[in-house]
Amino acid sequence: GTYNMAITPQFDVNTIPINTLRATFYYKNSSASDALIVGVLSDPNDVTTFVPVDTVTSAITASWQKVHVDFDSYTGTGSYIGFMNEYTGSSSYARMDNLTINVIPTCIEPVDFNITDVTSTSATFSWTPNGNESQWNLWVVPADSSINGVTPIVTNATTYTVSDLTVDTKYDVYIQSVCSASEQSEMLMKLFKTYFEKIVRENFRNGVMCCCC
């Protein structure tokens, strides 16, 4: 199919193997069907050498989210990291910013970070530990606002419900593993939006129930 691809310069895999690396970047799409495929190539001039490692998507469009992709599952011999935007329709967009590639840290953020049971004023977050950590920091803030100076929610559970949200509002939620008093993971961020609460008035007129009469 049709695609666009951005490729990094070559890595010296004898010094720093690809499967020890992590890519961190901000991602924004235009449609929920857009997908950014991250992988590794052995030849930057031959797309058939591209081996997918992870696929990045977002249900909420037109908003930046921070993404981590670890290459620890990669077993090939490629030395280039590629970012493929494959067309899923007549047009497809993937925007990236602030890309950094570093060695995978020892304190890792959790996996399977999910947002469920979203209502007009609440949402439930769940995750799975990615190591031996048993405590996490959680921030829930209005979309695109800073968490600097915001006190985190500290929890030892792997599920947490926030119930004081504003109706019909976009939020950013951040989570961070706490491995020790002096070691925390990078933050993982997701986006969600509370529902609009429709108020329906029911009245009776001439013994017949009618809406908004």
Side-chain angles (χ1 to χ4, degrees):
T2 306
Y3 64 89
N4 291 314
M5 180 177 285
I7 302 173
T8 66
Q10 187 175 26
F11 287 88
D12 182 356
V13 295
N14 294 318
T15 303
I16 307 176
I18 291 290
N19 62 6
T20 67
L21 298 179
R22 155 182 287 193
T24 301
F25 55 93
Y26 283 86
Y27 169 76
K28 181 168 68 172
N29 60 355
S30 296
S31 169
S33 64
D34 293 341
L36 179 68
I37 306 170
V38 185
V40 182
L41 303 93
S42 56
D43 183 349
N45 298 309
D46 185 358
V47 70
T48 64
T49 69
F50 179 71
V51 178
V53 171
D54 199 2
T55 299
V56 179
T57 60
S58 177
I60 295 181
T61 61
S63 294
W64 291 102
Q65 66 171 316
K66 191 175 184 179
V67 175
H68 303 296
V69 175
D70 292 339
F71 294 89
D72 52 343
S73 64
Y74 179 68
T75 58
T77 59
S79 54
Y80 301 86
I81 293 175
F83 303 85
M84 176 185 285
N85 176 36
E86 190 170 35
Y87 282 19
T88 55
S90 58
S91 63
S92 185
Y93 298 90
R95 297 171 175 86
M96 293 176 57
D97 199 7
N98 292 353
L99 170 67
T100 60
I101 298 177
N102 293 303
V103 174
I104 299 172
T106 55
C107 186
I108 305 293
E109 67 282 348
V111 295
D112 301 326
F113 185 33
N114 294 308
I115 304 170
T116 58
D117 299 328
V118 178
T119 70
S120 59
T121 58
S122 66
T124 297
F125 314 108
S126 61
W127 56 91
T128 301
N130 202 11
N132 296 322
E133 76 277 9
S134 59
Q135 189 176 83
W136 296 270
N137 293 329
L138 196 69
W139 292 261
V140 183
V141 295
D144 300 323
S145 61
S146 174
I147 63 170
N148 292 336
V150 178
T151 301
I153 300 165
V154 180
T155 178
N156 297 101
T158 56
T159 301
Y160 194 90
T161 298
V162 174
S163 56
D164 58 351
L165 304 177
T166 302
V167 173
D168 193 30
T169 302
K170 289 183 179 180
Y171 284 92
D172 295 336
V173 54
Y174 297 82
I175 191 167
Q176 177 187 59
S177 298
V178 180
C179 297
S180 69
S182 59
E183 187 178 23
Q184 295 83 39
S185 73
E186 292 191 47
M187 295 177 189
L188 187 65
M189 184 189 82
K190 280 198 170 187
L191 310 169
F192 70 98
K193 183 180 180 181
T194 54
Y195 293 150
F196 175 73
E197 187 175 37
K198 184 177 181 180
I199 299 175
V200 177
R201 292 181 302 149
E202 295 179 345
N203 297 310
F204 285 87
R205 176 174 294 174
N206 296 327
V208 178
M209 185 177 72
C210 62
C211 174
C212 310
C213 57

